[in-house]
Amino acid sequence: MKEKDSKRITSSPLLISYYLSNKLLLEEEIPFPMKCHQTLISTHQLIPVKAIIQKGLSIQCMRCGNKKRTLFSTYPCSLCNQKHYYCRNCIQMGRISECKPLYRWNGIQMKHIYHKNPLTWDGELTQAQQVASTGLVKAIQRKEKEFLIWAVCGSGKTEMLFHAINYCLQQGKRIAIVSPRVDVIRELYPRIQSAFEKVPVEALYGSSVNKKGMTQIILATTHQLMRFKKAFDVLVIDEVDAFPFYYDDTLAYAAVHAKKPNATTVYLTATPRKDLQKRIRQRKLPHVFVPLRYHGYPLPEPTMKMTFRLQQYLSKKQIPPNFLKWLSMRKKPERQLLIFVPTVQLAKDLKEDLCIELLHHRTIKHQSEFQEVYAEDQRREEKVNTFREKKLQVLLTTTILERGVTFPSVDVAVLDAGHEVFDEAALVQIAGRAGRSADDPAGEVVYFHNGRTEAMEKSKQLIINMNKKGKKL
């Protein structure tokens, strides 16, 4: 116990309240001395709640909402010499089990500051951005349950949030901006902090240093919402259609439980899924549509290149000849290059041969200008930042960079674009990485395939349709 207490911190009652308010935490996530912990429990300020509930044959994790028996396992408990269930679905957040409760704060709730003029960003919104921004502010003022901003890639969705965040801070409200993708949060953090220089902002994700979760503006991956309970007046879900949020009911459960009963949930996406589009058509979901990029130029339309014997080349860890031909004939070879592949294994397999070809075609001058990156890459953040700083010329990537990252001047190539991992939304988002700068709005986007898929056709048509609507504006 002494060794455990040595890692805890002494705190004032106010700091305790700020740290624990609207949280649902494991004992080891509460960084206060054990004596303080026991006092809070005895005075009913900290309430232990069952982490896993069983009723007959049903079982549920109260942190992530998981009800699938296949995602529960048992382990022998050394304290009571029995086997207990634990939830494998949210094990990455720390193990919870039948005999290991979660703790809910029942003391004085923290109150957030009413800021006078918190917005320090002095930029100007385009007409289309202003319409979206005004619509969002009104939705929060009316306490709408939901609001969708359907905006094309590169339209400036982050800037559209600024005035709504400003209004919330003036009203003493608490805001969370979350995304299924950690790269989105890493990119958003400096932009939000810069726009509200005098307001503390925290970014919460797996490898983030600070995870106190005490600030009035919280940026987080959607998994981190599992630690909050009725905490936020406004919850913004960026890239709401992205994996894993769209496919994982437990993340939606976490989002519902993290917001206050009368909170407004804001969805941001360039590619809303069918369920959201259906609710829009039925007029059940308030929304605003932004079909134009902030710089006014159209989205780059993809080119499709048939690649015979594509699978043979890739299985032999070889680069298809027509890709190499395109490489040598790029319109602006000085642009950086993003190459998307469907699997981590393929990225690893192609790395060596691709590096040789890039050197041969003088796309890179030295092999240090080329890297591959994927979700489990320990140097993932470092590589993305190095590419953003233009110290890398070419980045070979899986779909982890399909959305939420901004590079000003890139061409985009998709190898094996017909693979099932590249659905319509993924291909639209991938195409959206190109042409994001007003100085270079026409990056190339090329799908290399061995047979056109419905997803490829639909993604191209969607981009064409968006450009037509944008042109009318």
Side-chain angles (χ1 to χ4, degrees), residues 213-434:
M214 295 166 57
T215 56
Q216 200 164 346
I217 302 176
I218 293 286
L219 306 180
T221 51
T222 45
H223 282 85
Q224 296 295 325
L225 291 179
M226 294 179 189
R227 293 193 173 102
F228 291 91
K229 185 78 171 178
K230 297 181 180 179
F232 304 107
D233 299 283
V234 175
L235 178 64
V236 180
I237 306 176
D238 196 3
E239 308 296 355
V240 66
D241 62 302
F243 180 87
F245 187 84
Y246 179 72
Y247 299 91
D248 190 343
D249 291 340
T250 63
L251 294 180
Y253 172 93
V256 169
H257 285 76
K259 63 184 182 180
K260 294 179 181 179
N262 295 320
T264 298
T265 303
V266 182
Y267 307 117
L268 301 180
T269 182
T271 48
R273 300 284 178 172
K274 290 181 180 179
D275 57 332
L276 291 177
Q277 292 190 40
K278 181 180 179 180
R279 292 177 60 202
I280 289 173
R281 290 193 300 271
Q282 295 174 339
R283 298 184 179 181
K284 294 181 179 179
L285 179 60
H287 70 283
V288 65
F289 183 57
V290 185
L292 197 64
R293 286 187 152 184
Y294 80 93
H295 51 52
Y297 291 92
L299 295 157
E301 295 178 10
T303 300
M304 302 189 191
K305 290 189 179 291
M306 180 67 184
T307 309
F308 296 102
R309 301 193 301 278
L310 173 64
Q311 299 304 327
Q312 292 181 33
Y313 285 114
L314 298 181
S315 64
K316 294 178 181 179
K317 305 178 185 180
Q318 296 175 350
I319 311 302
N322 68 338
F323 174 83
L324 298 176
K325 183 179 179 181
W326 171 76
L327 199 64
S328 63
M329 298 176 66
R330 288 167 64 206
K331 297 173 184 177
K332 286 191 176 183
E334 67 273 14
R335 284 189 190 123
Q336 290 175 284
L337 177 60
L338 275 174
I339 304 172
F340 285 85
V341 292
T343 66
V344 173
Q345 189 57 53
L346 186 56
K348 293 177 178 179
D349 289 345
L350 296 182
K351 180 183 178 182
E352 185 176 341
D353 194 40
L354 182 57
C355 186
I356 293 171
E357 294 293 351
L358 291 169
L359 286 166
H360 176 72
H361 287 81
R362 297 182 180 179
T363 304
I364 58 175
K365 296 177 182 178
H366 191 272
Q367 63 183 17
S368 62
E369 295 180 344
F370 166 69
Q371 286 284 0
E372 94 285 3
V373 67
Y374 44 88
E376 301 304 320
D377 191 339
Q378 296 298 313
R379 296 176 55 210
R380 171 180 173 179
E381 184 176 3
E382 174 194 338
K383 290 177 181 179
V384 173
N385 286 335
T386 304
F387 188 74
R388 186 177 285 114
E389 294 166 0
K390 298 190 175 182
K391 294 176 182 177
L392 290 177
Q393 187 63 20
V394 180
L395 195 57
L396 176 65
T397 180
T398 58
T399 55
I400 61 163
L401 296 185
E402 75 179 33
R403 61 179 78 216
V405 291
T406 300
F407 309 112
S409 180
V410 298
D411 285 335
V412 174
V414 185
L415 284 176
D416 197 9
H419 192 283
E420 62 183 0
V421 75
F422 295 121
D423 61 12
E424 177 188 349
L427 289 171
V428 171
Q429 292 283 355
I430 286 170
R433 298 314 100 201

Side-chain angles (χ1 to χ4, degrees), residues 5-287:
D5 273 3
S6 68
K7 298 179 181 179
R8 296 176 179 266
I9 58 174
T10 56
S11 302
S12 67
L14 182 61
L15 185 57
I16 291 173
S17 174
Y18 262 76
Y19 190 93
L20 297 177
S21 286
N22 306 113
K23 299 277 187 65
L24 200 59
L25 301 174
L26 293 166
E27 180 185 318
E28 56 264 33
E29 293 175 320
I30 301 173
F32 305 122
M34 185 54 64
K35 185 177 180 180
C36 173
H37 183 90
Q38 293 170 345
T39 300
L40 293 173
I41 293 175
S42 65
T43 56
H44 303 290
Q45 295 179 83
L46 198 59
I47 308 294
V49 296
K50 285 188 176 182
I52 293 177
I53 293 179
Q54 285 196 82
K55 290 183 179 179
L57 296 176
S58 66
I59 184 170
Q60 183 178 9
C61 171
M62 300 311 293
R63 180 170 63 183
C64 72
N66 169 43
K67 295 181 180 179
K68 296 180 181 178
R69 294 195 72 91
T70 54
L71 293 178
F72 288 96
S73 293
T74 59
Y75 75 101
C77 178
S78 59
L79 296 177
C80 55
N81 204 27
Q82 294 182 9
K83 283 190 174 182
H84 290 302
Y85 280 106
Y86 71 93
C87 180
R88 294 191 295 112
N89 185 67
C90 58
I91 189 73
Q92 74 273 24
M93 309 294 289
R95 187 173 69 182
I96 59 174
S97 68
E98 291 176 284
C99 69
K100 192 176 182 181
L102 292 165
Y103 290 91
R104 173 177 62 83
W105 181 245
N106 192 45
I108 299 172
Q109 296 293 327
M110 64 178 175
K111 294 183 179 179
H112 289 285
I113 298 171
Y114 287 73
H115 298 264
K116 189 175 182 180
N117 294 303
L119 182 60
T120 52
W121 179 72
D122 59 358
E124 292 185 8
L125 298 176
T126 66
Q127 183 178 354
Q129 287 175 326
Q130 186 62 61
V131 170
S133 175
T134 301
L136 177 55
V137 172
K138 288 182 178 179
I140 295 172
Q141 290 173 337
R142 293 193 300 264
K143 297 184 178 180
E144 297 274 10
K145 287 291 185 182
E146 298 174 295
F147 189 80
L148 169 70
I149 297 180
W150 181 351
V152 297
C153 300
S155 58
K157 291 191 288 291
T158 303
E159 287 73 18
M160 297 177 205
L161 297 176
F162 288 166
H163 290 290
I165 297 172
N166 187 63
Y167 169 77
C168 290
L169 293 174
Q170 289 175 334
Q171 300 299 312
K173 296 179 183 290
R174 196 178 190 197
I175 313 101
I177 305 173
V178 302
S179 172
R181 301 294 178 89
V182 65
D183 299 286
V184 175
I185 300 304
R186 286 173 178 152
E187 182 156 307
L188 276 176
Y189 176 67
R191 297 172 67 184
I192 297 295
Q193 186 64 86
S194 177
F196 299 90
E197 293 176 354
K198 298 178 182 179
V199 182
V201 180
E202 283 184 82
L204 311 179
Y205 51 89
S207 60
S208 61
V209 177
N210 184 2
K211 293 184 182 178
K212 293 185 176 66
M214 295 166 57
T215 56
Q216 200 164 346
I217 302 176
I218 293 286
L219 306 180
T221 51
T222 45
H223 282 85
Q224 296 295 325
L225 291 179
M226 294 179 189
R227 293 193 173 102
F228 291 91
K229 185 78 171 178
K230 297 181 180 179
F232 304 107
D233 299 283
V234 175
L235 178 64
V236 180
I237 306 176
D238 196 3
E239 308 296 355
V240 66
D241 62 302
F243 180 87
F245 187 84
Y246 179 72
Y247 299 91
D248 190 343
D249 291 340
T250 63
L251 294 180
Y253 172 93
V256 169
H257 285 76
K259 63 184 182 180
K260 294 179 181 179
N262 295 320
T264 298
T265 303
V266 182
Y267 307 117
L268 301 180
T269 182
T271 48
R273 300 284 178 172
K274 290 181 180 179
D275 57 332
L276 291 177
Q277 292 190 40
K278 181 180 179 180
R279 292 177 60 202
I280 289 173
R281 290 193 300 271
Q282 295 174 339
R283 298 184 179 181
K284 294 181 179 179
L285 179 60
H287 70 283

